Amino acid sequence: MKEEAATVRVGIVGCGLIGQKRSRALAGARLTACVDADPRRASQLASQNTGCEAVAAWADLVARPDVDLVVVATPHDSLAEITGAALRNGKHVLVEKPAGRTAEEIAPLQEEERRSGCRVRVGFNHRYHRAFRRAFEIARAGSLGPLMFVRARYGHGGRAGYDREWRADRRKSGGGELIDQGVHLVDLARCFLGDFPIVQGFAPTYFWDMDVEDNGFLLLRTAAQQVAFLHASCTEWKNLFSFEVYGKVGKLEISGLGGSYGVERLAWYRMLPEMGPPETTIWEYPMADDSWEQEMKEFLEDIRLGRQPSCGLADAAAALRVVQSAYQQTREAQGR
């Protein structure tokens, strides 16, 4: 199924913060319909986009003939359901991470995608931050030498009432900080090192009064014994993003994501034959985040060419299996 990017018509399900970001990053596609559980939010988004109509129900939106691509930006408990319905109606789908609460929820969607002939991209926008785009180029060129391990931290401090939001409700979210921000770290680590068949994890609740974790600790190993040590937290009182990739002849360090996380920055440390202080190159990206636009641009090209997206349902399922393993180990450790 091939279509010109300029003609792709988009419908957005979920008009909260992420849905609004998606509406401003359509990369030449056109927003024709939107829907939200709060009709006022849908009406507001529609009023900001000429030719866009706010509709009453998501089931109506995914069946509309003037929608070619559906963006699903809802709480986790409805991501898979809406994605499946959109595919059965012959629509391409960009579904926000994690695409479902469990890998088992995602599994039927892979057959739906194959049968429909449409494309599904999972929204792991962090892959498209400027620092990561350059980091992938450096690593894939072999400039770090063989990769050894990844060390990463990602956290925020929540906000008043955070433990009463939908993310704190396991039935809606599927879990806490690991399934929210932690899956980004797992996905990025997989991009550098590959799959992690060996998972050690612990996901406790230290501070917030909720039945999901506020911290997640992961020690992951590939079949080649490369390691990823990852920590996601919503008790990080000063917002933090830090991602380090270690090779035998160099290191990459990505920090900040813009805004409250600080200026996005990439440092490349190149080891010298005599060791000692490395040669260092630093890039800073103080401009606005364009990851959402770049991700959509690539998806529109996937659709035009009829190719499989680089970040699909299999990637989301792989990240979720890591998270689920950590949850199971935590239950066992806590005698639950």
Side-chain angles (χ1 to χ4, degrees):
M1 184 179 293
K2 297 185 179 182
E3 302 172 50
E4 293 300 322
T7 68
V8 172
R9 298 162 298 178
V10 177
I12 292 179
V13 182
C15 303
L17 175 65
I18 302 303
Q20 292 171 37
K21 285 187 177 184
R22 290 294 182 191
S23 74
R24 296 190 293 269
L26 295 179
R30 182 164 57 90
L31 186 63
T32 56
C34 62
V35 63
D36 192 272
D38 181 349
R40 293 171 298 180
R41 289 204 300 197
S43 296
Q44 182 177 16
L45 185 60
S47 70
Q48 297 166 358
N49 292 270
T50 303
C52 177
E53 179 183 350
V55 300
W58 67 257
D60 296 332
L61 183 145
V62 302
R64 287 174 66 108
D66 63 346
V67 169
D68 307 305
L69 186 164
V70 176
V71 172
V72 188
T74 64
H76 300 169
D77 60 334
S78 56
L79 292 173
E81 179 186 11
I82 297 169
T83 298
L87 289 170
R88 289 190 292 276
N89 278 276
K91 314 300 185 187
H92 304 289
V93 182
L94 193 160
V95 55
E96 294 298 340
K97 62 82 186 167
R101 291 169 295 184
T102 65
E104 290 74 22
E105 275 191 349
I106 292 176
L109 298 179
Q110 294 176 278
E111 176 58 24
E112 295 272 14
E113 180 184 19
R114 187 198 64 77
R115 189 162 44 240
S116 72
C118 295
R119 299 287 176 260
V120 178
R121 173 172 282 274
V122 179
F124 279 105
N125 75 294
H126 286 30
R127 292 187 182 198
Y128 295 88
H129 273 267
R130 290 180 175 90
F132 274 103
R133 298 195 314 251
R134 186 178 290 272
F136 289 141
E137 290 176 0
I138 293 168
R140 289 166 184 166
S143 301
L144 303 180
L147 299 184
M148 300 184 296
F149 61 92
V150 163
R151 179 173 62 195
R153 296 170 293 158
Y154 194 3
H156 65 93
R159 50 193 162 263
Y162 186 74
D163 49 359
R164 295 187 295 277
E165 297 179 11
W166 68 263
R167 287 180 177 82
D169 182 345
R170 188 177 299 276
R171 293 168 300 175
K172 289 183 176 295
S173 64
E177 187 62 11
L178 264 186
I179 205 170
D180 186 21
Q181 289 189 318
V183 289
H184 275 302
L185 297 182
V186 175
D187 179 67
L188 292 168
R190 285 187 70 247
C191 288
F192 286 101
L193 300 182
D195 284 321
F196 299 108
I198 304 165
V199 176
Q200 293 174 270
F202 187 56
T205 307
Y206 287 134
F207 178 83
W208 293 100
D209 182 19
M210 56 189 187
D211 71 345
V212 298
E213 78 282 0
D214 56 21
N215 278 267
F217 305 90
L218 296 173
L219 184 64
L220 313 177
R221 278 189 290 159
T222 68
Q225 303 303 304
Q226 299 155 300
V227 167
F229 173 63
L230 314 176
H231 177 207
S233 174
C234 57
T235 63
E236 186 68 58
W237 305 131
K238 169 63 177 72
N239 288 8
L240 171 75
F241 183 86
S242 172
F243 196 98
E244 299 166 288
V245 183
Y246 289 80
K248 290 191 175 182
V249 298
K251 168 190 170 180
L252 298 175
E253 180 179 12
I254 298 162
S255 58
L257 293 172
S260 63
Y261 289 90
V263 172
E264 185 175 333
R265 181 179 183 271
L266 170 64
W268 179 12
Y269 303 101
R270 293 182 293 281
M271 302 309 299
L272 301 173
E274 65 271 23
M275 304 296 283
E279 287 186 356
T280 302
T281 305
I282 294 174
W283 296 268
E284 288 195 345
Y285 304 98
M287 62 286 286
D289 170 20
D290 71 341
S291 63
W292 310 89
E293 182 94 10
Q294 291 298 317
E295 186 174 41
M296 179 61 81
K297 181 179 178 181
E298 184 174 307
F299 190 30
L300 294 176
E301 190 69 356
D302 295 335
I303 293 169
R304 187 182 71 83
L305 296 175
R307 71 185 179 195
Q308 186 63 33
S310 61
C311 187
L313 292 166
D315 298 283
L320 280 171
R321 282 192 292 270
V322 169
V323 171
Q324 288 172 254
S325 179
Y327 287 163
Q328 179 61 33
Q329 291 175 49
T330 302
R331 287 192 293 270
E332 292 170 357
Q334 296 177 338
R336 293 189 283 124

